[in-house]
């Protein structure tokens, strides 16, 4: 089966887009960006931009791509066990990433959701759609219910809560690993309650989209205006919730953003596919997409190293502008290096390792 280059371009967008949201959590994972007592205008602008254009979009995009990739693999290999082996090693990579580098890993969630999605690879389109909607809406509802149980007030720089967070930050390599272990273990415990089911729902949507040709020709014309209408309406609700700024409603705001993110992700796929059909190649993005696993893990390695060694006081000094600038710098590095690397190698180092590990496990199964 010929490689679908549309998926590579979209995957490149997803990988790089994730960085612009994750960047705030590399300095302090448990709180993310800590607001100043007097919020500068630039912070407000970037915060609104994140809510309306970035938040949730790229994770939804990744889930759609993950579902499409599962369907491609079953069509290519006709072997469920081979797919499960790949998912097993993705989970292992995620665990190592979360415990050793950064607790915000998404690979374990995707790997586990992939295990559940495998049984839907050969069902009818109608069942895919119905179950995808049920899991997606159920996941968002669960996020809303669980998130509303205990809503803590936001941390402000200079407050007592701020200094408590700072005092608990790791001071050496051993402390870093312990810190990661504690918070990543918490993340793993809440994954089945929150992100797993939403991710599964979006993956089923990805399978449905691939089967119906969305990744090849885009959305049906009659659905594009409806999708835009939904995005506009949900964006208006997002703006309203942000303007009234009632912190108790922050979980509702997150749920609206996640629903909006899914529709936005579909429109992003549609836009890329239509532009590709008109002759746009997006070769740099395609290079990042082919090295998605390597680029994703290397983002954590570079960002954690930056905030640990080069800017250890960033949480105290940086505004959102500086964080955004770091994300832009890392993005440019990956956009530049990925095509150069692919001139000499056909796979990224982690993609190669994943392939070899899958082959080894398959060989042991047949011995």
């Amino acid at each position: 089966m010929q490689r679908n280059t549309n998926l590579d371009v979209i995957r490149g967008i997803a990988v790089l887009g994730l960085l612009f949201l994750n960047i705030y959590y590399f300095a302090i994972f448990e709180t993310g960006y800590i607001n100043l007592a007097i919020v500068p205008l630039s912070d407000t602008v970037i915060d609104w931009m994140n809510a309306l254009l970035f938040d949730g979009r790229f994770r939804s995009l990744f889930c759609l791509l993950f579902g499409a990739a599962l369907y491609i693999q079953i069509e290519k290999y006709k072997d469920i066990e081979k797919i499960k082996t790949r998912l097993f090693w993705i989970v292992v990579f995620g665990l190592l990433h979360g415990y050793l580098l950064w607790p915000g890993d998404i690979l374990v969630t995707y790997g586990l959701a992939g295990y559940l999605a495998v049984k839907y690879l050969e069902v009818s389109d109608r069942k895919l759609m119905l179950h995808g909607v049920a899991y997606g809406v159920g996941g968002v509802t669960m996020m809303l219910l669980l998130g509303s149980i205990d809503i803590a007030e936001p941390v402000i720089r200079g407050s007592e809560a701020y200094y408590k967070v700072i005092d608990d930050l790791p001071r050496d390599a051993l402390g870093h690993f312990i810190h990661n272990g504690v918070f990543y273990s918490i993340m793993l415990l809440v994954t089945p309650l929150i992100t797993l089911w939403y991710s599964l729902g979006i993956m089923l949507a990805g399978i449905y989209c691939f089967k119906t040709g969305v990744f090849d020709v885009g959305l049906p014309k009659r659905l594009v205006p409806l999708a835009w209408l939904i995005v506009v309406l949900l964006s208006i609700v997002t703006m309203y919730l942000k303007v009234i700024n009632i912190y108790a409603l922050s979980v509702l705001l997150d749920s609206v953003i996640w629903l909006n993110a899914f529709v936005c992700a579909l429109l992003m796929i549609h836009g890329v596919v239509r532009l590709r059909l008109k002759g746009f190649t997006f070769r740099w993005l395609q290079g990042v997409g082919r090295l998605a696993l390597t680029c994703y893990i290397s983002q954590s390695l570079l960002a954690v190293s930056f905030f640990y060694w080069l800017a250890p006081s960033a949480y105290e000094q940086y505004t959102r502008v500086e964080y955004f600038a770091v994300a832009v710098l890392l993005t440019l590095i990956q956009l530049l290096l990925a095509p150069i690397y692919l001139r000499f190698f056909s796979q990224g180092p982690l993609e190669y390792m994943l392939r070899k590990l899958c082959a080894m496990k398959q060989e042991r199964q047949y011995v």
Side-chain angles (χ1 to χ4, degrees):
M1 182 181 290
Q2 188 176 2
R3 189 178 185 94
N4 189 318
T5 52
N6 286 344
L7 267 66
D8 288 332
V9 173
I10 298 165
R11 195 177 290 112
I13 294 172
V15 171
L16 296 176
L18 278 175
L19 178 60
F20 284 86
L21 298 173
N22 292 340
I23 194 68
Y24 303 106
Y25 293 87
F26 284 117
I28 306 180
F29 173 75
E30 52 267 43
T31 62
Y33 183 73
I34 299 178
N35 283 312
L36 293 119
I38 300 176
V39 180
L41 177 61
S42 57
D43 272 20
T44 301
V45 170
I46 294 175
D47 181 49
W48 275 80
M49 183 176 68
N50 286 340
L52 294 173
L53 300 176
F54 288 89
D55 283 351
R57 275 66 172 172
F58 303 105
R59 289 196 67 163
S60 297
L61 201 57
F62 246 130
C63 285
L64 288 164
L65 289 164
F66 206 98
L70 288 176
Y71 190 76
I72 290 172
Q73 289 165 28
I74 195 63
E75 288 289 292
K76 181 178 180 180
Y77 300 117
K78 309 294 183 183
D79 186 348
I80 292 290
E81 292 305 315
K82 191 164 188 175
I83 296 174
K84 288 182 177 179
T85 297
R86 182 178 177 85
L87 292 169
F88 168 81
W89 285 113
I90 286 175
V91 170
V92 171
F93 274 54
L95 290 171
L96 293 173
H97 176 223
Y99 279 116
L100 299 181
L101 274 178
W102 182 61
D105 170 75
I106 61 173
L107 295 176
V108 168
T109 299
Y110 289 180
L112 294 176
Y115 267 105
L116 298 173
V118 161
K119 69 178 182 178
Y120 289 96
L121 291 175
E122 297 177 347
V123 303
S124 68
D125 291 351
R126 183 174 183 274
K127 188 173 182 178
L128 265 178
M129 183 182 295
L130 290 176
H131 285 228
V133 170
Y135 285 125
V137 173
V140 172
T141 302
M142 197 173 293
M143 281 190 261
L144 179 60
L145 293 175
L146 294 176
S148 61
I149 292 173
D150 181 23
I151 303 178
E153 287 295 321
V155 177
I156 303 297
R157 291 189 210 183
S159 66
E160 183 179 343
Y162 167 77
Y163 288 113
K164 185 179 186 307
V165 170
I166 301 308
D167 290 341
D168 292 338
L169 290 177
R171 306 300 176 188
D172 52 33
L174 178 60
H176 171 78
F177 292 130
I178 294 173
H179 179 269
N180 278 8
V182 170
F183 283 97
Y184 193 51
S185 295
I186 295 172
M187 292 287 290
L188 291 176
L189 287 174
V190 301
T191 290
L193 299 175
I194 304 179
T195 55
L196 179 64
W197 306 110
Y198 176 83
S199 299
L200 174 58
I202 306 303
M203 282 183 193
L204 298 189
I207 297 172
Y208 178 84
C209 287
F210 189 84
K211 290 176 67 176
T212 54
V214 173
F215 286 96
D216 294 312
V217 297
L219 294 168
K221 288 185 178 180
R222 68 182 184 279
L223 293 183
V224 175
L226 176 61
W228 277 112
L229 176 61
I230 293 171
V231 167
V232 170
L233 291 176
L234 290 176
S235 296
I236 291 172
V237 175
T238 299
M239 289 188 287
Y240 173 74
L241 291 172
K242 286 187 69 65
V243 167
I244 63 175
N245 195 28
I246 300 175
Y247 196 71
L249 295 179
S250 60
V251 177
L252 177 60
L253 173 61
D254 290 340
S255 299
V256 172
I257 287 174
W258 277 104
L259 289 172
N260 200 8
F262 168 65
V263 186
C264 284
L266 290 175
L267 286 171
M268 290 166 70
I269 292 170
H270 176 78
V272 168
V273 170
R274 299 309 299 176
L275 287 172
R276 293 263 306 156
L277 290 172
K278 292 179 180 179
F280 291 86
T281 59
F282 301 107
R283 289 182 180 175
W284 288 3
L285 286 169
Q286 186 179 331
V288 173
R290 288 180 60 185
L291 305 177
L293 180 59
T294 296
C295 286
Y296 173 65
I297 300 294
S298 66
Q299 285 175 1
S300 296
L301 179 61
L302 292 172
V304 168
S305 298
F306 177 86
F307 289 113
Y308 187 84
W309 298 104
L310 298 180
S313 300
Y315 57 83
E316 194 171 14
Q317 300 170 352
Y318 279 16
T319 65
R320 289 187 183 273
V321 172
E322 284 80 17
Y323 281 102
F324 189 85
V326 173
V328 169
L329 175 61
L330 295 180
T331 295
L332 292 175
I333 289 172
Q334 293 196 321
L335 282 171
L336 176 65
L337 293 183
I340 295 174
Y341 178 91
L342 288 170
R343 291 183 182 179
F344 303 96
F345 304 97
S346 60
Q347 289 181 304
L350 294 185
E351 286 78 8
Y352 176 81
M353 187 181 301
L354 177 61
R355 184 178 180 182
K356 287 297 182 182
L357 289 169
C358 290
M360 289 171 56
K361 187 169 183 179
Q362 286 291 115
E363 289 172 0
R364 286 199 298 270
Q365 288 175 346
Y366 292 113
V367 172

